[in-house]
């Protein structure tokens, strides 16, 4: 309930302010500013505001805005899937990237990789859909928060309904994750994903934290990694790789379930995203492993400079 109360304090002011701005015509006036980016993916420019909100505020800050800004009837499965990809990769950046930074990776580099990865994967989905017609069908969302709201009375009623459903979803997801923890499901999933992490170039103890981040989110995976990272037991390059993988594939169960309820294609936002995370992380790690120690620690892992000279990185260089 503390999480839900925090979300209410975060979401309600944003949704109310957005609705006021919509009714005053401000959103319609600023939407063209987002058009250059959204046009890369064939998305309505209005969704740029929801994307920006998601990146700065968080996942649940953006979701109530989607159907407020653009009616569901104007969106296709491709649209919501592509937008979901942008949101899944990069949300709550000020909070989550602060955690990643404390684990060691540089703030600018890790943020650019995470946002860039999301934009690149969304571009892949858009090009595939445009070329083949895949996902080019009307949106059939199970959950349409804040959709088709007219007067203020209807708006407030819809807002209350949305917040109620959000509580139900959070409880169900929380119970599911707790059951998985108690029954050993998380450990089983970890054993399944472990070979995948090897393919991505993540080895040793760093794999454990990457698994936690993949299923429970950056806050958990990155938070647990901070102490281990500061101890020097995990090579900096492996910490960096685990953080990159978490950035691409975190909260694989919870966030995926939510965007699928909005109408996103499960194959694209789950299996496609996971495959992209493996390949992209492997490519990043091939580059990272070839960087001179000085370059790596200067641009990608500056925290390492604060550690004892006795701690060495995976390349054998002094951290």
């Amino acid at each position: 309930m503390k999480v839900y109360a925090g979300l209410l304090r975060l979401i309600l002011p944003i949704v109310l302010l957005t609705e006021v701005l919509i009714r005053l015509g401000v959103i319609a006036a600023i939407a063209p500013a987002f058009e250059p980016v959204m046009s890369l993916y064939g998305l309505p420019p209005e969704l740029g505001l929801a994307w920006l909100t998601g990146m700065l505020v968080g996942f649940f800050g953006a979701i109530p805005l989607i159907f407020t800004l653009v009616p569901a009837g104007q969106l296709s499965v491709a649209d919501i899937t592509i937008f979901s990809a942008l949101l899944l990769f990069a949300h709550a950046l000020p909070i989550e990237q602060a955690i990643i930074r404390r684990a060691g990776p540089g703030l600018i580099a890790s943020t650019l990789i995470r946002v860039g990865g999301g934009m690149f994967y969304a571009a892949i989905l858009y090009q595939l859909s445009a070329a083949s017609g895949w996902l080019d069908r009307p949106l059939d969302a199970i959950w349409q928060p804040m959709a088709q709201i007219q007067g203020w009375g209807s708006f407030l009623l819809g807002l209350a309904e949305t917040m109620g459903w959000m509580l139900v979803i959070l409880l169900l997801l929380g119970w599911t994750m707790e059951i998985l923890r108690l029954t050993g499901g998380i450990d089983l999933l970890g054993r399944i994903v472990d070979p995948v992490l090897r393919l991505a170039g993540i080895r040793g103890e760093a794999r454990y934290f990457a698994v936690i981040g993949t299923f429970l989110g950056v806050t958990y995976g990155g938070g647990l990694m901070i102490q281990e990272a500061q101890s020097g037991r995990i090579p900096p390059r492996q910490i960096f790789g685990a953080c990159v993988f978490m950035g691409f594939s975190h909260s694989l169960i919870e966030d995926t379930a939510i965007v699928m309820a909005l109408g996103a294609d499960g194959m694209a936002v789950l299996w496609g995203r996971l495959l992209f995370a493996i390949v992209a992380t492997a490519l990043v790690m091939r580059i990272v492993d070839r960087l001179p120690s000085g370059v790596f620690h200067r641009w990608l892992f500056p925290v390492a400079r604060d550690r004892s000279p006795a701690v060495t990185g995976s390349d054998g260089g002094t951290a």
Side-chain angles (χ1 to χ4, degrees), residues 121-272:
Y121 181 59
I124 292 174
L125 293 179
Y126 174 60
Q127 293 300 326
L128 285 174
S129 180
S132 65
W134 177 55
L135 306 179
D136 187 17
R137 57 183 185 272
L139 181 64
D140 184 20
I142 299 173
W143 184 36
Q144 296 184 24
M146 307 303 296
Q148 299 177 344
I149 300 301
Q150 300 298 326
W152 276 106
S154 299
F155 169 78
L156 293 174
L157 183 61
L159 179 59
E161 182 181 348
T162 296
M163 295 299 102
W165 276 111
M166 190 174 292
L167 175 60
V168 171
I169 291 171
L170 283 171
L171 288 174
L172 290 174
L173 290 173
W175 292 336
T176 300
M177 297 306 295
E178 188 63 24
I179 290 171
L180 287 174
R181 289 191 192 98
L182 293 175
T183 60
I186 292 294
D187 293 334
L188 175 61
L189 291 172
R191 288 194 292 271
I192 294 173
V193 174
D194 189 67
V196 168
L197 296 176
R198 293 175 185 270
L199 290 176
I202 302 172
R203 303 179 296 275
E205 291 185 33
R207 296 201 308 272
Y208 170 75
F209 300 102
V211 167
I212 296 297
T214 297
F215 292 112
L216 300 182
V218 169
T219 302
Y220 292 99
L224 290 172
M225 188 181 290
I226 290 172
Q227 184 176 356
E228 289 297 315
Q230 293 174 346
S231 73
R233 286 189 289 266
I234 303 177
R237 296 181 195 242
Q238 287 300 304
I239 295 173
F240 188 86
C243 289
V244 169
F245 189 82
M246 280 193 292
F248 290 159
S249 64
H250 62 285
S251 298
L252 201 63
I253 297 175
E254 296 174 89
D255 291 353
T256 300
I258 292 169
V259 296
M260 285 178 65
L262 298 176
D265 180 78
M267 182 66 71
V269 295
L270 177 59
W271 300 113

Side-chain angles (χ1 to χ4, degrees), residues 1 9 17 23 34 55 71 87 98 112 115 123-125 137 158 179 219 232 237 267 279 281 301 308-309:
M1 290 301 293
R9 290 193 296 269
L17 177 60
R23 293 172 186 265
F34 295 97
M55 285 194 292
L87 202 58
L112 289 176
V115 175
I124 292 174
L125 293 179
R137 57 183 185 272
I179 290 171
T219 302
R237 296 181 195 242
M267 182 66 71
V279 175
T281 303
F301 210 90
S308 168

Side-chain angles (χ1 to χ4, degrees), residues 77-148:
V77 173
D79 292 332
I80 202 68
T81 300
I82 292 167
F83 181 76
S84 294
L86 291 171
L87 202 58
L88 286 168
F89 277 76
H91 54 262
L93 292 177
I95 297 172
E96 294 186 349
Q97 290 305 107
I99 294 171
I100 293 297
R101 181 177 180 274
R102 288 192 61 195
L107 181 65
I108 295 176
S110 62
T111 301
L112 289 176
I113 290 173
R114 184 171 168 182
V115 175
M119 295 180 69
F120 189 72
Y121 181 59
I124 292 174
L125 293 179
Y126 174 60
Q127 293 300 326
L128 285 174
S129 180
S132 65
W134 177 55
L135 306 179
D136 187 17
R137 57 183 185 272
L139 181 64
D140 184 20
I142 299 173
W143 184 36
Q144 296 184 24
M146 307 303 296
Q148 299 177 344

